[in-house]
Amino acid sequence: MNKRILLVNGPNLNLLGVREPSTYGTDTLDDVVALAERTAAERGFDVRHVQSNHEGVLLDAIHAARLECDAVVINPGAFTHTSVALRDALTGIALPFAEVHLSNVHAREEFRHRSYLSDVASFVIVGAGIRGYEFAVSRVIDLVAP
Ligand code: CA2
């Protein structure tokens, strides 16, 4: 059976490509998932995707990944800046994970500069648009299938 990456997208990312194209681009969430799937497939990996506007749904998907996935790529959306629970879930499952942001959060409002995840992530990619997901998938696969 193929190995598997859990791709997680947090609140409001279902609106990608529909609203605020000047900040988040014109690609849709479906485009993001297709790009992640293509990138993973080149290396023989599958992608399981979850997007939710509800923190508990994201936590449950992360817990389920503990025994069912090999690594996680996550854009936690605004939960990046607020959620100790997301941090605890990700450290609790002990899988390598990449934190991805479409925009350069460091060039935006002060409250977006703090992340509850970055110091426990394997790596962080900001400001590369949807290409950030491509690199993140490729790099987490390097980490789990060197
Ligand atoms: O840059 C990113 O990827 C963010 O994670 C996006 C979050 C934001 O809260 C983070 O600070 C940075 C917001 C996602 C909202 O996505 C939308 C997409 C289109 C229209 C409206 C919201």
Side-chain angles (χ1 to χ4, degrees), residues 11-13 15 19-20 24 75 77-78 81 101-103 105 112:
N12 298 311
L13 286 160
L15 296 176
R19 302 279 310 275
E20 299 186 40
Y24 297 115
N75 182 343
H81 319 297
H101 298 284
L102 293 154
S103 64
V105 284
R112 296 187 202 276

